[in-house]
Amino acid sequence: MARDSSYCTPFRRRREGKTDYKARKAFLLSGKPRLVSRTSINNIQAQIVIAKPAGDEVLVSAHSRELKMYGWKAPRGNLPAAYLTGLLCGLKAKAKGVSEAILDIGLYPPSKGARVFAVLSGVLDAKVNVPHSEEKLPGEGRLKGEHIAKYAEHLRSTPEEYQSKFSEYLREKVQPEALPKHVVQVKSDMMAAFKTGGSKK
């Protein structure tokens, strides 16, 4: 609420909690592409965009739905899916000659080990240079889904709860206890696809 004549109403997107204009100005002044990651309960999206006078231009984009083309059968909104989506985005970027970017997480709090940093881990593994703090990245075990596999092992003694928690895995005939092996296989297939000529799109 205005208190005096010097009060200035914030821009609409700032009022709606969508844009931090101070941070965006810093990104624009850097002149570098931005790695933008957005997550929902069921999906992950990663894009590398660059600012142009007419608006942002998307250089490359990856969505967790695309992981199915590389054999992914597990849910698309978990930490391993975020990592693989980031890897796919990074591989697409390298294929288009994009070798560096800066991370733009918007207004999300930079929580250690969050899915947005799993996306970043994937992009880094694709050899795209993105300045970052190592302490924010999830551990290798979590990127592979070892925490999910251990939880599944723990629940095997209670079949009803096991079926309830991992119904999506079981429907796709993926044993949650074997998720780390599944992640490694999908990553290997994805890397091989790009070595032999690019993505499967």
Side-chain angles (χ1 to χ4, degrees):
M1 186 174 179
R3 295 184 177 181
D4 55 48
S5 60
S6 64
Y7 177 79
C8 183
T9 304
F11 291 125
R12 176 181 58 80
R13 289 184 62 85
R14 180 61 202 181
R15 296 197 309 270
E16 294 173 351
K18 293 180 178 179
T19 302
D20 182 340
Y21 284 96
K22 184 177 181 181
R24 181 171 174 80
K25 180 180 179 181
F27 289 140
L28 296 178
L29 290 175
S30 74
K32 295 181 179 180
R34 300 179 353 254
L35 168 61
V36 180
S37 177
R38 299 295 180 260
T39 64
S40 68
I41 294 175
N42 297 317
N43 286 294
I44 313 290
Q45 185 176 39
Q47 295 179 323
I48 294 183
V49 302
I50 191 164
K52 294 290 183 70
D56 287 350
E57 177 185 335
V58 178
L59 301 179
V60 294
S61 178
H63 196 283
S64 54
R65 285 192 294 263
E66 297 176 66
L67 299 181
K68 188 175 181 180
M69 295 187 294
Y70 302 93
W72 184 249
K73 296 180 179 179
R76 300 191 304 263
N78 60 22
L79 202 71
Y83 168 73
L84 292 171
T85 303
L87 179 66
L88 180 58
C89 182
L91 291 171
K92 287 183 177 183
K94 291 292 286 186
K96 283 201 170 185
V98 179
S99 60
E100 65 174 350
I102 51 178
L103 181 63
D104 178 0
I105 64 172
L107 297 174
Y108 288 115
S111 303
K112 180 179 179 180
R115 287 179 297 167
V116 65
F117 293 115
V119 171
L120 172 60
S121 293
V123 173
L124 293 171
D125 282 357
K127 308 303 181 186
V128 176
N129 181 33
V130 183
H132 63 282
S133 172
E134 289 287 339
E135 67 179 18
K136 292 291 185 181
L137 302 180
E140 184 177 350
R142 290 184 63 81
L143 294 176
K144 290 181 180 179
E146 290 178 2
H147 59 298
I148 297 173
K150 288 179 181 177
Y151 184 52
E153 287 281 2
H154 174 71
L155 287 184
R156 284 193 72 86
S157 58
T158 53
E160 288 186 6
E161 191 171 359
Y162 178 85
Q163 289 283 340
S164 174
K165 294 286 186 181
F166 296 105
S167 60
E168 192 171 347
Y169 288 83
L170 301 176
R171 186 167 57 250
E172 296 295 330
K173 295 181 171 55
V174 176
Q175 292 297 318
E177 300 90 329
L179 182 60
K181 291 182 180 179
H182 186 50
V183 172
V184 170
Q185 184 61 58
V186 172
K187 177 181 177 180
S188 177
D189 290 347
M190 189 183 296
M191 299 287 281
F194 277 84
K195 283 182 180 178
T196 57
S199 69
K200 298 185 180 181
K201 281 189 84 173

